[in-house]
Amino acid sequence: MPACHWIRARRYGSAIAAIALVTFVVLLIAAGTDAHAYIVRSSPPEDGLLGAPPQSIELWTSERVATGAGSPAINVLNQDGSSEGITVSNARVDPNDPRHVVADVGGIGAGTFTVVWTVRSEDDGHTLNGSYAFRVAGTSRAPGAASVEGETPRAWAVATRWLTFLGAALAAAGFLYGSFIAGGVDSPATDRRRMLSVVVGGAVALIATIAEPFLQTQFPPEGAAQPSLSDAIAGLPTAWWLRPVALVVVIVLGAVALTMGEKATRLSPALPLGGGAVALVALLGLALTSHASARETWRIVAVPSIVLHQWSVGLWVGGLAQLALSWPKGKARAEAAGEVPRADPVRQFSRYALVLAVVGIGTGVLNAGLVLPTLRSLWESDYGVVLIAKVLILVPVLGLATFHRLWLHRFALRVGSALRSTVRVEAALVLLVVLGGSILALMAPPTVAHGDLKVIDLAAPTSDGTNTADLLVRLQVKPAKPGNNELRVIVAHADGSPMPADQIALVRLGLTSLDHDASQPEVATTPDATGGFVSQGIQLSLDDWWRVDVLVRRLGVEDVSVPFYFRLPDPNVNGFETSEPAGSDDARAVYERGLAGMTSMHTVRWTQRLASGSGIVVLSDLTLRDGSDGQPVAEANTSNEFVPQALWKTDPATGSPVPESVSPADFEQIIIGPTSWQREGGGPWVTGEAGPVPIPSDWGSNYDGATGFHLGRTEDVNGVSAQIVTFLVPGTDRIAPAYYAWWVATDSGRVMQETMVSRQHYMVYEYFDINQPLPIAPPKDAT
């Protein structure tokens, strides 16, 4: 190479290198400028399961967080979408770490919650917001309790509850035994033994009670984060605190009576009654932290019933134990004197035991009737099986009790020690009955689903009803109620046949609550063995309406994004509600404005996507004019049905499934005045007489009786800002209830979009060309 060429090349190379370096720096700066702050991690973690409620919300961001003008802001919502009872305070930036945001939180119990956050970047001034969900294991009733049907209560929780009940029952009966059973004639040694049982019983119950938060930190539910002791204590229900407070008083009173002996009774004759009452308060703390006392309906009956049940069974069990413990000395003294004591303990207790047993069994039957939704639940649920086992053990207990009463009536003076062993057997069996009751108190009661579906399977073709349909995207949601859900996406060809997974590069989900400012913009999925794409353990933590945007990416093809709408809890899976609160006046005003705009339309075009919830979908394109311009009322409708392969029809000749027709127009209809033209599958037109066409001014009757109005998000629909309002139209004897969400334009008041869920109907409407010229003419090739 000549020297001049080499020098020129070197100069060009230096220039190119300099340009490349500058370009790289500019791009690097631009990339840094365009980047927004995002959440690096959080506590509680996204979709995390906690063993106890948190006391703070912490966020770590990718950029420094500015303070002031609403930054940082954190809100926590329960699954109803409200923050009632939840306090979030002192949202602040950590002075030692400008990327760390902390807020104190209180009032969180068990269940699913959503954190809604807003931060402004100190680096670029951009404001970012988002949300995520987390779940607190157990229930708000007691540590270690099962939170959902089918879940097993923690073994340590059953043991501590059982010991607490037995100890408190022994203490309550120990205080009251001397006054009501022994008649005040027991020897000092027997009295001391009884007070010793009071102290021991109270101590055992107290130790079992205070062990619960410690055990909660050591043995959290499977998959749950290990809570700190402070979190475990902070999450205890208020009624729980009745137990340790009352038991401390019981131990003190028992110790005083044990130390002072007869002097204590002379000093305060009311001490036994007061001690018994305080011990019953400890049992009250157990009753108020059971599942049975947490029911929302019939509370005025359920709560007194469960309290009476705990007290009557507790005094029965404690009385049996005291009778068995004091029997040898009490009976020996009477027999040595050759006479029946003034108040024979066995006879006296038999009288009280009969009343206590009747009350205990009666309230137990009532509680079971309130808890079990159907008679079949008695043998089809785990709760019912435990209840049956408890009853089977109770039968010999009642047999022994009956046996004792017969002996007392027939051989009053010769009972002696003959019944001592059978009374102890009765007491031992009662311990097993109490164990069954402790298990039941911590088990989630069975529920019954009145819905028609087990899982909602929504489908949508990637087209607007024209020739462009090439994919059928399905979204399956299970169990379709607030909390943990599994979302599964199936991508198929337009004829319903599955698309091979190797042709799909990515399936991603975006979750948005329509009623609240909560969203998860990017949720990943993973392929499963059946060719679907699954995301498990997604916390859909809020009631009411959700949108899931399913993005499908294929190699060499433009991305496809399909929105799906559903309501939680889904009525077709979990049953329809019969009523809904009236809602807010502001939401009703938006609804009424939207209704006025809808019923005043004269021409309109809209698309309708009707899914069955079982994988079938019909996509329609409709045009309507109401005749107010002097022309006849007219409507044009083009509809296509899309059916997944699993639901293909069977060819009667071969017995093999055959795909449904997915021609450009599976069904077409044109109505102009009294004449109707119809055809299927592109075949010949059939002319006939048209029925009445509902025009927009008639559409208002579809929403008669609407209630439960709630304002949701504000979103853009085709470039128009729209306010979401949700509501319920209650059902009648002929029509199922229907849940609606409207997107009402903030400027014009027109309904831009509508979605509805009713009996196996999942509809999405989108309205266009409102009050614009829309020609509707007879088909050109009609005969």
Side-chain angles (χ1 to χ4, degrees), residues 457-466 469 472-473 494 564 606-622 637-644 660-662 664-668 760-765:
D457 186 350
L458 306 178
T462 59
S463 77
D464 58 358
T466 63
L472 180 65
V473 181
F564 292 91
W606 74 98
T607 60
Q608 172 186 289
R609 191 173 82 204
L610 170 60
S612 65
S614 56
I616 298 175
V617 62
V618 176
L619 193 67
S620 303
D621 195 319
L622 301 100
N637 177 8
T638 301
S639 300
N640 291 333
E641 183 181 39
F642 298 82
V643 181
E660 296 285 335
S661 169
V662 192
D666 276 348
F667 174 79
E668 292 177 273
Q760 295 191 354
H761 278 61
Y762 299 82
M763 290 179 136
V764 181
Y765 300 84

Side-chain angles (χ1 to χ4, degrees), residues 269-283:
L271 188 147
L273 295 178
V278 174
L280 291 178
V281 171
L283 290 176

Side-chain angles (χ1 to χ4, degrees), residues 602-605 623-626 629 631 750 768-777:
H602 300 298
T603 61
V604 61
R605 183 174 69 86
T623 305
L624 175 68
R625 69 171 184 240
D626 67 354
D629 58 355
Q631 300 185 70
R750 293 171 176 167
F768 309 92
D769 303 330
I770 298 173
N771 293 338
Q772 299 297 315
L774 296 174
I776 301 175

Side-chain angles (χ1 to χ4, degrees), residues 379-700:
W379 57 85
E380 291 183 349
S381 67
D382 293 340
Y383 189 98
V385 170
V386 175
L387 182 59
I388 290 174
K390 179 182 174 182
V391 171
L392 291 178
I393 300 174
L394 186 61
V395 169
V397 172
L398 296 177
L400 286 171
T402 303
F403 170 74
H404 295 153
R405 285 193 61 80
L406 291 175
W407 266 70
L408 287 171
H409 280 292
R410 295 179 60 186
F411 309 106
L413 296 178
R414 292 182 294 163
V415 168
S417 61
L419 298 183
R420 182 172 55 192
S421 59
T422 56
V423 167
R424 290 176 174 173
V425 170
E426 181 181 347
L429 290 175
V430 168
L431 294 181
L432 294 178
V433 174
V434 173
L435 177 61
S438 300
I439 297 173
L440 288 176
L442 298 176
M443 291 183 70
T447 57
V448 57
H450 299 286
D452 305 304
L453 304 175
K454 299 297 182 184
V455 57
I456 55 173
D457 186 350
L458 306 178
T462 59
S463 77
D464 58 358
T466 63
N467 297 341
T468 59
D470 66 335
L471 287 183
L472 180 65
V473 181
R474 293 164 58 194
L475 174 69
Q476 297 175 342
V477 183
K478 183 180 180 180
K481 59 183 178 182
N484 262 342
N485 278 264
E486 176 185 285
L487 272 60
R488 184 168 184 265
V489 176
I490 302 171
V491 182
H493 296 289
D495 66 355
S497 59
M499 177 171 288
D502 58 7
Q503 295 184 17
I504 303 171
L506 171 72
V507 173
R508 190 167 58 214
L509 309 177
L511 283 66
T512 303
S513 168
L514 301 186
D515 298 88
H516 312 282
D517 289 327
S519 62
Q520 298 182 58
E522 294 188 358
V523 177
T525 64
T526 56
D528 64 10
T530 63
F533 293 81
V534 180
S535 185
Q536 294 180 331
I538 293 181
Q539 288 289 339
L540 299 179
S541 56
L542 301 171
D543 282 349
D544 294 329
W545 284 94
W546 283 85
R547 177 177 63 239
V548 175
D549 295 297
V550 178
L551 183 142
V552 178
R553 178 169 297 164
R554 293 173 290 166
L555 298 177
V557 181
E558 186 176 352
D559 289 353
V560 171
S561 183
V562 185
F564 292 91
Y565 300 89
F566 54 85
R567 187 184 183 277
L568 297 182
D570 180 82
N572 287 301
V573 175
N574 300 287
F576 285 80
E577 295 289 340
T578 56
S579 62
E580 185 87 357
S584 71
D585 292 338
D586 290 343
R588 175 182 282 276
V590 173
Y591 160 78
E592 290 177 347
R593 187 169 182 239
L595 184 63
M598 175 184 287
T599 55
S600 63
M601 295 187 298
H602 300 298
T603 61
V604 61
R605 183 174 69 86
W606 74 98
T607 60
Q608 172 186 289
R609 191 173 82 204
L610 170 60
S612 65
S614 56
I616 298 175
V617 62
V618 176
L619 193 67
S620 303
D621 195 319
L622 301 100
T623 305
L624 175 68
R625 69 171 184 240
D626 67 354
S628 59
D629 58 355
Q631 300 185 70
V633 174
E635 181 184 63
N637 177 8
T638 301
S639 300
N640 291 333
E641 183 181 39
F642 298 82
V643 181
Q645 187 180 59
L647 300 176
W648 280 358
K649 294 179 181 178
T650 301
D651 187 337
T654 63
S656 301
V658 293
E660 296 285 335
S661 169
V662 192
S663 61
D666 276 348
F667 174 79
E668 292 177 273
Q669 182 180 43
I670 297 175
I671 296 174
I672 301 177
T675 307
S676 167
W677 295 269
Q678 297 182 20
R679 69 173 178 176
E680 295 185 11
W685 290 96
V686 177
T687 305
E689 183 178 345
V693 175
I695 58 177
S697 60
D698 301 327
W699 291 0

